[in-house]
Amino acid sequence: MQTSPVLPARGAPARSLHRFANPGRFLRISGRVLPFLSAAALVLTLAGLGAGLFLAPADWQQGDAVRIMYVHVPSAWLASFGYVALAVCSLLSLVWRHPLADLAAAEISPVGAGFTALCLATGSIWGKPMWGAWWVWDARLTSVLVLFFLYLGHVALVRAFDDPQRGYRAGAILALVGVVNLPIIKFSVDWWNTLHQPASIGLTGSPTMHFDMLWPLAVAALGYTLAFMAIVIARTRAAVLERRIHGLLMARAEAVR
């Protein structure tokens, strides 16, 4: 008897995506990964900061004031990196109804806001001896401040509705619209005459920073990145468990009626 070939069902990529985002599987995998991720983040962050503060040479112009970059630059990197992750989760939520995307986005935004606030604070501290002012309405600084407000707007929108799905949807739309600010942050020092110095590390050229200053910065940035991931994973795990507990309590309340 001749049989017709089995064809993949429509929407198979989306179902595969959902399979890898199963909350139970996420809890199992993240539970194994999180301790190692946290330990690596702690070791690399301390190593990078220690080397930057005590081993790296001072800058010939800025002196020891340059050492704040080992906190400022990784924070600035994570401010943008976190928003990219937020936008990706928002896209997965709106287009593919990814089971964990909404929860992950809701946990990314406060963490991203924290790193952006750290970036702004350390930038102001660095700017005072260099520019003579705590704050100037520089294109780079202003666009990063806008990024901070976008994070806060997402945090507020997600929690502004009685229906969580409406909040997640509104937050996702805001996150995707706010992506236009990222290239402004990146290229503001090239497009406008700003006080902020150009990037010392680029994809197309050699770094303008001495290696003795570059490697502690790279180690610190990697440690910060792993810390960001560990915090978001831990918060998302807590959100998944909270949703499960809420579901069990609701089911028990329905059974009692």
Side-chain angles (χ1 to χ4, degrees):
M1 180 177 63
Q2 185 177 6
T3 59
S4 59
V6 179
L7 298 177
R10 294 180 62 183
R15 287 199 298 273
S16 176
L17 188 64
H18 281 240
R19 180 172 64 85
F20 286 109
N22 177 276
R25 186 175 291 107
F26 167 76
L27 289 176
R28 289 194 300 272
I29 295 175
S30 63
R32 299 190 188 105
V33 171
L34 189 57
F36 299 99
L37 191 64
S38 302
L42 180 62
V43 170
L44 289 173
T45 300
L46 291 178
L49 289 178
L53 294 176
F54 301 109
L55 298 180
D59 184 72
W60 70 279
Q61 283 184 317
Q62 302 182 36
D64 286 326
V66 77
R67 298 186 191 280
I68 200 170
M69 78 173 176
Y70 298 105
V71 178
H72 174 73
V73 173
S75 300
W77 146 249
L78 285 172
S80 296
F81 170 80
Y83 201 88
V84 171
L86 177 61
V88 169
C89 289
S90 300
L91 184 65
L92 291 175
S93 170
L94 290 175
V95 177
W96 288 286
R97 298 294 190 269
H98 196 287
L100 289 176
D102 289 328
L103 293 179
E107 303 308 325
I108 287 172
S109 52
V111 181
F115 277 98
T116 308
L118 181 61
C119 169
L120 290 169
T122 52
S124 295
I125 295 171
W126 195 359
K128 177 61 175 175
M130 297 300 106
W131 304 335
W134 294 102
W135 179 267
V136 292
W137 291 102
D138 180 271
R140 170 64 65 82
L141 274 66
T142 304
S143 55
V144 173
L145 181 62
V146 170
L147 180 67
F148 179 63
F149 287 138
L150 286 169
Y151 274 123
L152 295 184
H154 186 273
V155 172
L157 270 181
V158 166
R159 294 159 177 81
F161 298 89
D162 293 332
D163 180 8
Q165 292 304 317
R166 291 181 62 192
Y168 291 142
R169 192 175 303 113
I173 293 172
L174 174 65
L176 291 176
V177 171
V179 168
V180 298
N181 189 46
L182 294 181
I184 296 176
I185 294 174
K186 171 63 178 175
F187 298 108
S188 57
V189 295
D190 301 319
W191 293 344
W192 296 287
N193 184 20
T194 69
L195 288 176
H196 197 285
Q197 68 183 47
S200 299
I201 304 172
L203 297 176
T204 57
S206 301
T208 59
M209 186 185 305
H210 193 275
F211 180 76
D212 289 343
M213 302 171 72
L214 178 61
W215 76 261
L217 181 61
V219 173
L222 179 57
Y224 274 54
T225 304
L226 295 182
F228 183 99
M229 296 169 61
I231 294 170
V232 170
I233 290 174
R235 290 177 61 96
T236 306
R237 282 176 56 83
V240 171
L241 293 173
E242 181 181 1
R243 176 174 286 189
R244 283 190 169 187
I245 293 171
H246 179 73
L248 291 174
L249 293 176
M250 292 295 294
R252 180 175 297 178
E254 291 292 333
V256 172
R257 290 181 182 179

